Structure formats: C-alpha cells, structure tokens
C-alpha cells in the first residue's frame, strides 16, 4: 500500500496555476492513474490530490514508472514549456501511516524536501519529470515526536476540567487531562498513545466506581484505533467494561483530520460504538467535513482551540460555529475545548452550545466535578471561591 500526493510548486491549490484549476488537476490525474493502474492493482482518491495505491504483486513502487507518470501529467496539465509546476511525493508504509500521509497539508509536504518537518516512518520519495529523489528509506526516523511522560515512578499527574453546559448553566461532565511533571522530548509511537489512552480509561473507571453520580470523558487516538496490530488490545480492555459504567462515559476520539479517514470508520464502530452510548470526535480544523461522517457513528464534534493568537482563535471558532445549522439538521452536538477567554466563552454561549471547557470555564481539579449548577457570570469555577 502506498500514497501518491500531487502538489503544485507555485501557489496553493486554492488558486489556479497558469489557468489550471485544482478541480482540473484532480480530474485529469484520476483519469490518468485509472488508465495506468489496471487490475489487480487498485487505487482510490481519498482527498484532493491524494491517492491510495495498492499493488498486491509488488513489494514497492517502481521509480521509473513514477517518473513517467510525473512527466506525462506535467505535459497534460501545463504543456512542455516553462517551469516544472507539478511535484509528486510518494509514501510507502503500513496502512495507518499511509492514511496519515494522505491527510498532510500540501505546504508541509513540499517543506519535507528541505528536511523540516522530517518525513514519516517508511519510504518517502519526491518525483518530478527529471527523476526520483529518496527523502527517507525504510526504517527512517519517525516524524511524530512530542512531550514524553516522566519516569514510571513519577508519571503524569491526572487532573480534571469541568465540561459546562451554558444553556443549562451547569457542569455536566468532567474531562481528564494529563499534567506531566518533568517532560522529556522523545519519540511517541502509536502503541505509546494506546498505553496512555488505556491508562486514562483506568483512571476514569476508578473515578466512576468511587463517585457513582459523575459522568466522565475518556480519550482514544484515532490513528491508534485504526492500527490493526493494536485492535485486539483495545478490544480486550473495552470488552471488560460493564454497560453500567460505559453508559456514564463519553468516548472522545482525537487526532481527527478535516475528513474522517475511511479506515477509521470500522474501528470506531466496532471498538467504541458497541461499548459507549456517546462518541465524539475532537478536531483542530474548524472546517471539519461533518457531511462525510457516516450516520449513527458519532454523537458530536468538539473543536479544540489552540495557539496563542486570540484573533486567529476567534476566527477558527466563528468558522466552526458557522456550521451550526447543519449540525442541528444532523442532530449532532457541537462543543468547544480549550476556551481561554471570556470572549470565546460568550460566543459559544450566544449560539447555545451544550459543551464548553477550558481555563475560562474551570480551574483544574484533583477530583472529577459532581453535577454542579453555576451561573455563567461566576465562571471560571474555582473550588475555594465556591466555598467562600
């Protein structure tokens, strides 16, 4: 399995290059690949300019064939004269990494040629009509790295943020949040995310047993759920969760791109939908394509606000909330996490969202929130202020 990405060197795909529109590029490329990729080989377009290729009779893509495809597409789209406008990147790896590569932004792909960001695990090549350049061979350094957890004896400290319903003016659920004591920069693999997710689930189950009245969230990373080698571990742990406990848990899937990948649908349905009564996806792209999500798979979408630029945060929030009508039509909830300012909170309240969380809503607590009624004017919630 491999992924072929067709990029445009000069200018974003949102604008036409020399009169060639993005839709024409995708239409021409799809027809050309279909002609050049006959059965038993298969291909499918998963995003603009992104094609998943499957060849059951090959161990790797043929570099010479790729070069010929790039050369002929360049001629078909832009003619023989002038600059090289078309650049192709190919990635070969396991299915989860192939799918992840298909969702990367075009600017990030083109920047990979300079080494920042580094290519993902697997084999990454840049293909133009002049030749094929190897960016990373098999077994290359993973591109995903982040803040690792402290040693086992220290571990990350788990705290809780309240999830507030501005319409009912009460805290209805609690969201666990990891607080690493002494983070170290390290590589994080899919299996590491799974272990962290299952550790969070253990903490949530323990809290449910000790506090019978609370409702809690727990996290599952989409790319780890989609990895076939990890599904049995997820299944074994989730199958031991009783229906009574699961009914008080909101399963929230994070690391979800703008378009929910096809390969993530079955794991979400089989592993989560069969256990939890409520499933949400947590996204950072305010233009999340809700229409592409199959019916009855999820119950809501949560936008996670990030970054320090307040203007950009508000723009992202407004863009997400502009789709309010279609969410109502689909009977899906909208929520926002990471709310830091009163302006952000008031915007959510004006549109009557049912789930808002973040520093502007509550301070982190050592214990989950019980069902607390609190006027919105008194937020953020702090235990000492409430007792005074």
């Amino acid at each position: 399995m491999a992924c072929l990405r067709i990029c445009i060197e000069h200018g974003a795909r949102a604008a036409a290059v020399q009169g060639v529109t993005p839709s024409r590029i995708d239409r021409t490329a799809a027809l050309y690949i279909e002609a050049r990729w006959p059965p038993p080989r298969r291909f499918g377009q998963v995003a603009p300019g992104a094609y998943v290729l499957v060849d059951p009779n090959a161990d790797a893509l043929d570099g010479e064939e790729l070069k010929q495809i790039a050369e002929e597409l360049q001629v078909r789209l832009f003619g023989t004269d002038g600059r090289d406008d078309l650049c192709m990147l190919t990635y070969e790896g396991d299915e989860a990494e192939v799918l992840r590569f298909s969702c990367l932004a075009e600017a990030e792909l083109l920047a990979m040629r300079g080494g920042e960001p580094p290519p993902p695990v697997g084999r990454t090549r840049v293909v133009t009509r002049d030749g094929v350049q190897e960016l990373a061979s098999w077994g290359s350094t993973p591109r995903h790295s982040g803040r690792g957890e402290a040693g086992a004896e220290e571990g990350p400290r788990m705290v809780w943020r309240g999830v507030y319903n501005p319409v009912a003016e009460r805290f209805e659920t609690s969201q666990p949040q990891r607080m690493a004591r002494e983070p170290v920069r390290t590589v994080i693999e899919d299996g590491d995310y799974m272990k962290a997710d299952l550790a969070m689930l253990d903490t949530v189950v323990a809290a449910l047993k000790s506090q019978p009245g609370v409702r809690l969230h727990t996290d599952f990373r989409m790319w780890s759920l989609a990895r076939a080698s990890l599904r049995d571990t997820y299944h074994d742990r989730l199958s031991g969760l009783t229906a009574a406990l699961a009914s008080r848990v909101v399963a929230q899937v994070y690391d979800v791109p703008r378009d929910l990948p096809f390969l993530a649908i079955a794991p979400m349905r089989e592993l989560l939908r069969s256990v939890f009564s409520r499933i949400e996806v947590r996204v950072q792209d305010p233009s999340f394509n809700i229409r592409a999500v199959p019916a009855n798979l999820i119950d809501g979408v949560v936008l996670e606000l990030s970054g320090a630029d307040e203007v950009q945060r508000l723009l992202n929030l407004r863009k997400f909330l502009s789709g309010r009508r279609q969410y109502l039509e689909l009977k899906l909830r909208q929520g926002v996490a990471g709310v830091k300012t009163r302006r952000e909170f008031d915007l959510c309240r004006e549109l009557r969202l049912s789930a808002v969380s973040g520093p502007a809503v509550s301070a982190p607590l050592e214990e989950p929130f019980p069902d607390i009624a609190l006027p919105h004017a008194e937020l953020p919630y702090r235990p000492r202020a409430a007792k005074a």
Side-chain angles (χ1 to χ4, degrees):
M1 179 177 284
C3 181
L4 170 67
R5 295 293 303 270
I6 298 176
C7 301
I8 307 304
E9 289 277 16
H10 307 280
R13 291 181 63 83
V17 179
Q18 296 182 352
V20 180
T21 63
S23 61
R24 181 187 167 192
I25 294 169
D26 291 333
R27 185 169 60 253
T28 302
L31 291 172
Y32 180 77
I33 294 172
E34 182 176 15
R36 294 297 303 268
W37 207 258
R41 301 196 291 187
R42 305 187 307 278
F43 87 98
Q45 185 172 359
V46 294
Y51 304 87
V52 171
L53 308 175
V54 177
D55 188 342
N57 298 321
D59 295 324
L61 296 178
D62 184 339
E64 285 302 314
E65 183 179 19
L66 293 173
K67 176 184 173 183
Q68 185 176 355
I69 291 175
E71 182 176 4
E72 293 185 12
L73 279 177
Q74 167 73 27
V75 172
R76 290 192 180 203
L77 289 167
F78 301 103
T80 57
D81 298 327
R83 61 196 182 188
D84 287 335
D85 296 278
L86 183 139
C87 168
M88 298 196 320
L89 283 89
T90 62
Y91 172 78
E92 299 166 66
D94 66 35
E95 64 181 50
E97 292 293 336
V98 165
L99 195 57
R100 197 200 320 265
F101 188 83
S102 73
C103 298
L104 294 178
E106 184 176 73
E108 188 173 353
L109 289 169
L110 293 173
M112 270 183 200
R113 297 174 299 176
E116 187 59 40
V121 181
R123 187 182 193 187
T124 308
R125 290 185 281 181
V126 176
V127 184
T128 66
R129 61 179 180 176
D130 295 324
V132 180
Q133 175 191 356
E134 192 108 349
L135 288 185
S137 57
W138 294 110
S140 60
T141 303
R143 68 178 296 273
H144 284 280
S145 63
R147 292 289 185 177
E149 299 174 357
E153 68 281 2
E154 293 291 335
R157 182 170 65 93
M158 193 75 73
V159 296
W160 303 86
R161 293 269 189 195
V163 181
Y164 185 76
N165 185 329
V167 178
E169 295 200 324
R170 65 187 314 115
F171 286 96
E172 295 185 341
T173 60
S174 297
Q175 177 81 53
Q177 180 179 347
R178 301 180 188 90
M179 304 285 283
R181 289 184 171 88
E182 293 182 0
V184 178
R185 194 77 176 173
T186 185
V187 171
I188 303 177
E189 302 287 356
D190 291 333
D192 298 326
Y193 282 103
M194 180 191 69
K195 292 174 184 177
D197 291 346
L198 294 180
M200 177 180 286
L201 179 63
D202 290 341
T203 300
V204 165
V205 169
L208 291 171
K209 291 179 178 178
S210 63
Q211 301 183 50
V214 300
R215 293 179 60 85
L216 306 176
H217 290 239
T218 196
D219 286 353
F220 296 94
R221 181 170 176 264
M222 187 201 72
W223 300 109
S224 298
L225 288 173
R227 186 176 284 277
S229 61
L230 303 179
R231 288 180 201 166
D232 286 345
T233 304
Y234 274 116
H235 179 268
D236 291 345
R237 295 292 295 277
L238 291 171
S239 61
L241 192 62
T242 66
L245 290 177
S247 65
R248 295 160 55 198
V249 178
V250 179
Q252 203 165 90
V253 181
Y254 63 100
D255 263 12
V256 177
R258 176 180 298 188
D259 291 283
L260 183 68
F262 177 78
L263 290 180
I265 294 173
M268 287 176 60
R269 182 174 283 128
E270 295 166 7
L271 293 173
L272 303 183
R273 185 83 271 179
S274 61
V275 175
F276 300 101
S277 58
R278 275 182 57 192
I279 300 175
E280 298 174 344
V281 293
R282 192 165 74 238
V283 302
Q284 292 190 333
D285 191 326
S287 300
F288 178 69
N289 185 7
I290 188 61
R291 294 289 183 184
V293 179
N296 302 317
L297 180 65
I298 64 173
D299 302 286
V301 177
V302 175
L303 174 68
E304 184 175 15
L305 292 175
S306 60
D309 186 338
E310 183 180 6
V311 173
Q312 186 59 55
R313 288 168 60 90
L314 286 169
L315 287 173
N316 288 342
L317 180 55
R318 288 182 182 278
K319 191 168 188 178
F320 178 65
L321 298 180
S322 68
R324 182 79 173 135
R325 177 171 294 181
Q326 64 177 333
Y327 278 88
L328 292 174
E329 291 174 355
L330 295 169
K331 295 182 172 57
L332 296 175
R333 291 161 56 103
Q334 275 182 294
V336 181
V339 174
K340 294 199 302 185
T341 68
R342 191 69 193 189
R343 291 177 66 187
E344 294 171 358
F345 174 81
D346 286 342
L347 188 55
C348 295
R349 185 174 67 85
E350 287 169 13
L351 288 182
R352 300 177 67 81
L353 295 193
S354 55
V356 183
S357 64
V361 175
S362 75
L365 300 184
E366 295 295 330
E367 298 291 335
F369 281 56
D371 192 336
I372 302 173
L374 189 74
H376 68 84
E378 298 182 23
L379 296 175
Y381 175 83
R382 296 183 179 88
R384 293 179 182 177
K387 293 178 181 179

